[in-house]
Amino acid sequence: MSSIVEKVWAALNENNVVLIKQIEDILAQNEKRDFTKMKSGDRFFYHGFEWIYLGMEQGGALCITAECYKEMPFDKEGRNNWNVSSLKEELNSDFLNKLNKKDLKPFEMDLVADNGDDAYGTSTQYVGILSCDQYRKYRKVIPLFDEWMWTCTPWYCGPNPSYAGYVRIVGTDGSLNRNSAFNSYGVVPACVFCC
């Protein structure tokens, strides 16, 4: 308990504008959440981010950040395959380093394309983004973001390179669209928390 008190005093001494949020975050990090008592759409703070609980998936609690983490390309080389994307690399290094990996379960993402092509298979890591199917499933509790949001769903996996660079995105009005993996759109990290 003394380490919690020390962290609170350190936050108080910083005289920061976000003091209350820092204190909430410090306390929340030391509190074990009971996801079985949460309902879809409930929010909580964890490691400096506000999260939205979506539902129980893959033996844990599927959650997304309540705001876009940043805007960036899906892949700097324009590939629409999450398995080799620069976005996957960043989320599972820079973003994951901001969290406690012990609190997370490996998250398997289905990379089936919009036309049903399953050539990309699945991908398992600690931090991902939602697929179009997951977005549809939890749409009622996912807020409309100010930025267009990436999904992991490729538009097309086939051999035609003209189309294999498109990824499905969610518009600011909640509509599904597609755009080039080169473009920068909002990134909303998704994780499966241990229960």
Side-chain angles (χ1 to χ4, degrees), residues 1-7 27 30:
M1 185 63 128
S2 63
S3 68
I4 295 173
V5 172
E6 289 169 4
K7 288 178 181 179
L27 295 173
N30 291 284

Side-chain angles (χ1 to χ4, degrees), residues 114 132 135-136 148 151 168-171 173-178:
D114 196 50
C132 283
Y135 174 74
R136 288 182 194 101
W148 287 50
T151 73
R168 298 291 275 167
I169 54 176
V170 178
D173 61 355
S175 62
L176 287 170
N177 209 320
R178 69 175 169 98

Side-chain angles (χ1 to χ4, degrees), residues 43-185:
R43 294 175 180 231
F44 62 95
F45 287 93
Y46 172 78
H47 283 264
F49 297 97
E50 185 177 15
W51 294 81
I52 301 171
Y53 167 69
L54 300 180
M56 299 304 287
E57 299 269 344
Q58 302 179 31
L62 177 62
C63 303
I64 59 169
T65 57
E67 295 182 6
C68 285
Y69 169 57
K70 64 169 58 174
E71 289 187 62
M72 63 181 291
F74 186 85
D75 182 63
K76 294 175 185 171
E77 295 182 30
R79 300 168 295 190
N80 70 350
N81 183 350
W82 173 263
N83 285 310
V84 295
S85 73
S86 55
L87 177 53
K88 174 187 174 183
E89 184 179 318
E90 170 146 345
L91 288 180
N92 285 279
S93 56
D94 293 352
F95 185 80
L96 181 57
N97 289 338
K98 299 175 189 318
L99 311 178
N100 184 344
K101 195 172 176 180
K102 292 179 182 177
D103 294 335
L104 307 174
K105 295 179 74 69
F107 173 31
E108 184 179 79
M109 297 164 48
D110 186 359
L111 304 179
V112 66
D114 196 50
N115 67 355
D117 190 340
D118 61 0
Y120 295 161
T122 60
S123 180
T124 303
Q125 60 279 303
Y126 285 96
V127 183
I129 56 178
L130 298 179
S131 68
C132 283
D133 288 340
Q134 289 168 320
Y135 174 74
R136 288 182 194 101
K137 181 177 180 179
Y138 296 109
R139 181 179 178 171
K140 290 181 180 175
V141 298
I142 297 173
L144 296 176
F145 295 103
D146 291 335
E147 307 84 359
W148 287 50
M149 176 184 85
W150 287 117
T151 73
C152 67
T153 304
W155 186 62
Y156 175 82
C157 302
N160 186 338
S162 301
Y163 300 116
Y166 288 104
V167 182
R168 298 291 275 167
I169 54 176
V170 178
T172 56
D173 61 355
S175 62
L176 287 170
N177 209 320
R178 69 175 169 98
N179 218 311
S180 170
F182 278 118
N183 293 335
S184 289
Y185 291 109

Side-chain angles (χ1 to χ4, degrees), residues 4-49:
I4 295 173
V5 172
E6 289 169 4
K7 288 178 181 179
V8 170
W9 274 111
L12 284 169
N13 290 333
E14 289 177 16
N15 196 16
N16 199 319
V17 179
V18 292
L19 174 64
I20 300 298
K21 207 167 197 166
Q22 286 180 331
I23 292 171
E24 283 179 342
D25 194 38
I26 290 166
L27 295 173
Q29 287 178 38
N30 291 284
E31 175 187 323
K32 185 75 173 158
R33 275 164 218 80
D34 186 354
F35 289 105
T36 61
K37 294 182 180 176
M38 294 177 80
K39 57 187 191 304
S40 189
D42 282 352
R43 294 175 180 231
F44 62 95
F45 287 93
Y46 172 78
H47 283 264
F49 297 97

